[in-house]
Amino acid sequence: MRLFATLALILSAAALSACSMQGGAPETDGEPMVSPILTSDDAKDPYSYAQPDVARVTHVALDLALDFEAKMVRGKATLDILAAEGVDTVILDTMGLEIFSVTDEAGSELAFEVGLAKEEMGAPLTVTMEDKRQIVIAYQSGPDAKALQWLVPEQTAGGKHPYLLSQGQPTLNRTWIPTQDSPGIRQTWEAKITAPEPLTVVMSGLSGGDPMQASEGRRAFNFAMDKPVAPYLIAIAAGDIVFQELGPRSGVWTEPVMLEKAADELADTEKMIDAAEELYGKYRWGRYDMIVLPPSFPYGGMENPVMTFLTPTFIAGDRSLTGLVAHELAHSWSGNLVTNANWSDSWLNEGTTSYFENRIIEKLYGKKRASQERALNFAGMEETIAEKGSDAAITALHLTGENASPEGGASGVIYDKGASFLHTVEAIVGREKFDIWLESWFDRHAFEPATSAMFLADMRKNLVKGDEELEAKLMLDEWVYQPGLPSNALRPDAAAFAEVDKAAEAYIDSRTLDKAVWEKWTSAEQLRLLSKLPQELPEEELAKLDSELGLSVSGNNEILFAWLELALQNRYDPAVPLTEKFLATVGRRKFVAPLFETLIEQDEWGKPIAKRIYAKTRSSYHAVTTGTVDKVVLGGG
Ligand code: BES
Ligand code: ZN
């Protein structure tokens, strides 16, 4: 009896995965109604409890209230499940959720169990769904849900209203949505969210129109994402925000006092979408809106579909840091359409996107800016590889072992080495052929997960086509699976920074820079100069650099950050108040973590400063940022 039941289960699971494998998904208009999953070993996600080949979530319907006092979301999630006949349980991912009940659509209770929680993964929620294929989970998020940041009014530009923002990637959405939280499992979703007046809610789905009055003092907002997406792409923000159109299919949300500046910085967005489409095919998501968030947002940007989330720190006043927007837009193809099946292949999302970003920049702003940004990133990558060691596994594109953790790609190598890989292939096969292939890759795998092995196999089949000489030149496996930089890597254009590098060289003897020349330089050139200055500088020189080049008053946060790093590593006291001010407002991990690291490295000078500042600023950061900075400032010493 038991044997028979087990056998039936195995058979039905096999049948389910067979019908849902690549190419097997039913399609409408080129979009699968149910996205396939991959069942090969290299596609498995060890950071999710889900068993998608047995039972998987295909649609999530959220009905949630935002509670700013308790800092919780509360309500229900209705999940549609795809499972073969005879399968009676489904396993979901949760972290810190309080589950009140699980029922079927008619309200009959279903048995459920929350398993043991693991630090990085949270706990499995196993629901005995019997023969039901829709389950309703009543729940609320935990008090410190890592995806969510609840801001007090003082942390906003307007200063009057609270604010909520979320960050799902890589595995944080399980702290506010009970679903299968794995990038290899795609789900459509819809949501009804209520928020206290006068707050406005946006999500990474198309809006269902004007809000409706809900219970007293609250409004309800509706959203839907009718295309299957990886669950880390569900995102929410709520605050005193307003909208400005930028083009026929693009616009920006932000706080009223930020609107003009944000819209101006983003004025080229529609042109960027056009450029991206010319490169790699139609934009498939309908609208492309963005929200410029308060400065505590832990990333530069996040590619939430139809609603890119952006840090306000990219606003420089001269559109010099809009590569960020090109990057998040590019993810609409690389990442959101074709998605890494698990986090060991993050480079498929981030490396491909970094390449695509650079192509958009070239198309829109020309070769000079593109080649400078490339050279800057390439140098950064070489530095990181040198730091980690060119035989260190973390410098491979495909990550293994503990490097394959959801945060494994955070070293940044996968971004620039991935881009470098594709620039190299492009140079070898020729741009025209390469572009045709890359567009066809996005098309062939639209709305599907992908692995490194699939990427290489596709490239061999459709680009290399058995040409052995070409195959040898490309060094494909070495690029993807080996650490360090392969010998065929296309070097950045040596001319990109010729003038700047000469000035940096001259500085070593002259100890002066020509202010007029500096002011004519692009943002990338200025950043290059700062990176090429002697890393040890006496106080008088730092003071002179600052006053002549206006580093402390730069409106460009990348330059301000580079300056603060240089100053702190030289124990330059006058830079401390500005550092403190910067760290008290900006929560972007890329800036915050290195500044604290630099301080901590300056032992008896910097450690007390770091500890004093962090004690004051820690509570203003998102969990993504404190997760990294705690280890730096609080851990060890
Ligand atoms: N998708 C990433 C952010 C991310 C990656 C979050 C991995 C969690 C895990 C986003 O597209 C990104 O790369 N942001 C960069 C932008 C930059 C490279 C232009 C950032 O935030 O700095
Ligand atoms: Zn990215």
Side-chain angles (χ1 to χ4, degrees), residues 224-338:
M225 173 46 71
D226 64 356
K227 297 168 177 55
V229 294
Y232 70 84
L233 292 171
I234 306 177
I236 188 167
D240 174 22
I241 51 173
V242 286
F243 178 75
Q244 182 166 322
E245 206 169 86
L246 296 168
R249 53 183 163 171
S250 56
V252 57
W253 288 93
T254 194
E255 290 186 67
V257 296
M258 294 288 295
L259 192 61
E260 202 181 318
K261 268 208 248 169
D264 185 74
E265 205 78 6
L266 294 169
D268 290 339
T269 302
E270 198 68 35
K271 277 190 253 167
M272 272 191 189
I273 309 172
D274 293 340
E277 285 191 316
E278 275 172 47
L279 283 164
Y280 299 119
K282 196 175 147 30
Y283 179 74
R284 302 204 198 198
W285 303 87
R287 291 200 58 84
Y288 183 76
D289 292 327
M290 292 157 287
I291 177 166
V292 177
L293 296 152
S296 70
F297 184 57
Y299 289 102
M302 178 64 213
E303 65 270 27
N304 300 313
V306 307
M307 187 65 69
T308 280
F309 279 31
L310 296 171
T311 173
T313 62
F314 86 99
I315 299 176
D318 59 3
R319 301 176 197 166
S320 58
L321 302 179
T322 51
L324 173 70
V325 182
H327 179 97
E328 305 313 334
L329 170 65
H331 272 306
S332 305
W333 289 258
S334 43
N336 298 358
L337 257 196
V338 187

Side-chain angles (χ1 to χ4, degrees), residues 167 169-170 299-303 323-324 327-328 331 350 357 406-407 415 588 590:
Q167 168 62 36
Q169 197 183 10
Y299 289 102
M302 178 64 213
E303 65 270 27
L324 173 70
H327 179 97
E328 305 313 334
H331 272 306
E350 299 302 342
E357 166 196 336
E407 281 286 345
Y415 285 73
R588 183 176 177 185
K590 179 185 133 173

Side-chain angles (χ1 to χ4, degrees), residues 14-343:
L16 173 62
S17 60
C19 85
S20 58
M21 291 238 297
Q22 201 186 311
E27 293 201 7
T28 49
D29 278 352
E31 279 162 27
M33 293 181 305
V34 173
S35 264
I37 47 149
L38 301 171
T39 50
S40 57
D41 275 350
D42 64 338
K44 293 220 163 80
D45 178 4
Y47 293 91
S48 166
Y49 292 102
Q51 297 176 354
D53 50 346
V54 177
R56 80 190 131 103
V57 176
T58 57
H59 184 77
V60 180
L62 298 172
D63 184 351
L64 298 174
L66 308 183
D67 182 343
F68 281 83
E69 271 85 57
K71 300 187 174 5
M72 280 175 184
V73 304
R74 192 175 302 112
K76 54 189 194 186
T78 302
L79 309 182
D80 293 350
I81 313 289
L82 177 68
E85 216 178 304
V87 172
D88 72 346
T89 58
V90 59
I91 306 177
L92 310 171
D93 294 299
T94 69
M95 192 184 262
L97 301 182
E98 187 172 346
I99 310 290
F100 301 126
S101 69
V102 183
T103 62
D104 66 12
E105 59 263 51
S108 303
E109 301 262 341
L110 296 171
F112 69 92
E113 193 191 344
V114 180
L116 231 50
K118 283 196 217 161
E119 163 97 37
E120 260 189 278
M121 283 177 72
L125 167 59
T126 306
V127 176
T128 306
M129 58 184 174
E130 300 161 8
D131 59 352
K132 306 292 167 24
R133 292 297 179 260
Q134 192 172 61
I135 62 174
V136 183
I137 303 167
Y139 73 101
Q140 68 183 16
S141 59
D144 296 305
K146 283 188 185 170
L148 305 178
Q149 192 183 12
W150 305 85
L151 305 182
V152 294
E154 297 72 50
Q155 287 178 277
T156 67
K160 289 210 181 71
H161 300 280
Y163 203 105
L164 166 68
L165 60 88
S166 78
Q167 168 62 36
Q169 197 183 10
T171 51
L172 304 180
N173 268 348
R174 61 191 71 177
T175 65
W176 72 288
I177 306 172
T179 187
Q180 294 179 321
D181 187 15
S182 173
I185 307 171
R186 307 179 84 89
Q187 297 150 29
T188 52
W189 61 268
E190 66 194 287
K192 178 187 153 204
I193 309 285
T194 72
E197 275 173 318
L199 304 189
T200 294
V201 182
V202 295
M203 285 189 82
S204 53
L206 297 179
S207 160
D210 290 338
M212 311 262 279
Q213 202 61 41
S215 58
E216 94 254 26
R218 298 183 71 86
R219 296 188 298 170
F221 297 78
N222 289 286
F223 305 93
M225 173 46 71
D226 64 356
K227 297 168 177 55
V229 294
Y232 70 84
L233 292 171
I234 306 177
I236 188 167
D240 174 22
I241 51 173
V242 286
F243 178 75
Q244 182 166 322
E245 206 169 86
L246 296 168
R249 53 183 163 171
S250 56
V252 57
W253 288 93
T254 194
E255 290 186 67
V257 296
M258 294 288 295
L259 192 61
E260 202 181 318
K261 268 208 248 169
D264 185 74
E265 205 78 6
L266 294 169
D268 290 339
T269 302
E270 198 68 35
K271 277 190 253 167
M272 272 191 189
I273 309 172
D274 293 340
E277 285 191 316
E278 275 172 47
L279 283 164
Y280 299 119
K282 196 175 147 30
Y283 179 74
R284 302 204 198 198
W285 303 87
R287 291 200 58 84
Y288 183 76
D289 292 327
M290 292 157 287
I291 177 166
V292 177
L293 296 152
S296 70
F297 184 57
Y299 289 102
M302 178 64 213
E303 65 270 27
N304 300 313
V306 307
M307 187 65 69
T308 280
F309 279 31
L310 296 171
T311 173
T313 62
F314 86 99
I315 299 176
D318 59 3
R319 301 176 197 166
S320 58
L321 302 179
T322 51
L324 173 70
V325 182
H327 179 97
E328 305 313 334
L329 170 65
H331 272 306
S332 305
W333 289 258
S334 43
N336 298 358
L337 257 196
V338 187
T339 310
N340 48 231
N342 60 40
W343 303 113

Side-chain angles (χ1 to χ4, degrees), residues 7 22 27 32 64 80 106 122 139 155 216 223 263 288 301 318 324 344 421 481 500 529 546 549 558 562 589 592 625:
L7 198 65
Q22 201 186 311
E27 293 201 7
L64 298 174
D80 293 350
Y139 73 101
Q155 287 178 277
E216 94 254 26
F223 305 93
Y288 183 76
D318 59 3
L324 173 70
S344 60
F421 173 35
Y481 297 110
V500 186
L529 190 275
D546 188 18
L549 309 183
E558 296 281 352
R589 182 172 68 178
V592 173
T625 299

